[in-house]
Amino acid sequence: TITTGNHRHQITSLHKTRGLTLPHLARQLISLHAQRADVAAQVETLVQAHPHVPGPDHACPGSGVPAAAVLLAETLGKTSSTGAQLASYAGLAPVTRRSGSSIRGEHVSHGGNKRLKRAMFPSAFASLRSDPVSRAYYRHKRDQGKPPWARPSSPWPTIAS
């Protein structure tokens, strides 16, 4: 219980402020959700209209509009003539550790474009589940004795293709 008038006044002011603030914040949140939906629709339209994005009948399983948008945004202005160059830029290609005269084999790259790598991984694993060509390629690499991290799920597409 509150015995002084000052405390009672402060609590009353807090309730009035909360009554004004919460509805305002709720309206802002609703507005932000609407803006987010508008931006998502615009991004989807831009991605689908891009000349390097295949149509729905040629799309890579598991790579939707968000992954394609990241791929396009992160490779804008970059030129990769091969899939290996794109994989290296993304940090998906294995690297050989060398120190002076010792060569310690291939390891997972910790460099590269993190956003691009994060966007490509889920679609690569989805293609293993749904695409017979990717699954056959993965099995071929596994049968060659490649470690799991050195087995790409599918040949990486070039930007030009």
Side-chain angles (χ1 to χ4, degrees):
T1 60
I2 300 172
T3 56
T4 64
N6 285 343
H7 288 295
R8 197 170 290 142
H9 176 66
Q10 288 174 353
I11 289 176
T12 305
S13 295
L14 178 66
H15 285 296
K16 286 180 185 176
T17 304
R18 187 182 306 157
L20 296 173
T21 305
L22 288 179
H24 179 70
L25 290 175
R27 285 190 301 274
Q28 282 184 329
L29 187 60
I30 290 168
S31 175
L32 286 174
H33 280 292
Q35 289 174 17
R36 182 176 181 239
D38 290 344
V39 169
Q42 290 174 7
V43 167
E44 184 170 354
T45 302
L46 289 172
V47 166
Q48 290 174 347
H50 196 279
H52 293 133
V53 175
D57 53 337
H58 295 92
C60 178
S63 62
V65 171
V70 171
L71 178 68
L72 291 172
E74 294 298 323
T75 57
L76 186 66
K78 309 279 189 284
T79 55
S80 297
S81 57
T82 66
Q85 288 177 343
L86 181 60
S88 179
Y89 172 70
L92 296 168
V95 294
T96 303
R97 291 218 177 126
R98 297 178 182 183
S99 173
S101 62
S102 91
I103 299 174
R104 294 184 234 147
E106 292 184 338
H107 299 277
V108 177
S109 171
H110 295 289
N113 186 316
K114 305 285 189 221
R115 288 183 295 267
L116 186 56
K117 186 188 296 189
R118 203 174 307 123
M120 293 177 89
F121 259 102
S123 61
F125 286 112
S127 71
L128 283 176
R129 289 189 303 273
S130 59
D131 184 34
V133 174
S134 296
R135 200 172 20 252
Y137 183 79
Y138 182 85
R139 284 189 191 126
H140 173 71
K141 290 299 179 183
R142 183 189 60 204
D143 294 344
Q144 286 180 339
K146 298 282 185 184
W149 53 265
R151 298 179 209 150
S153 65
S154 63
W156 298 108
T158 62
I159 293 174
S161 63

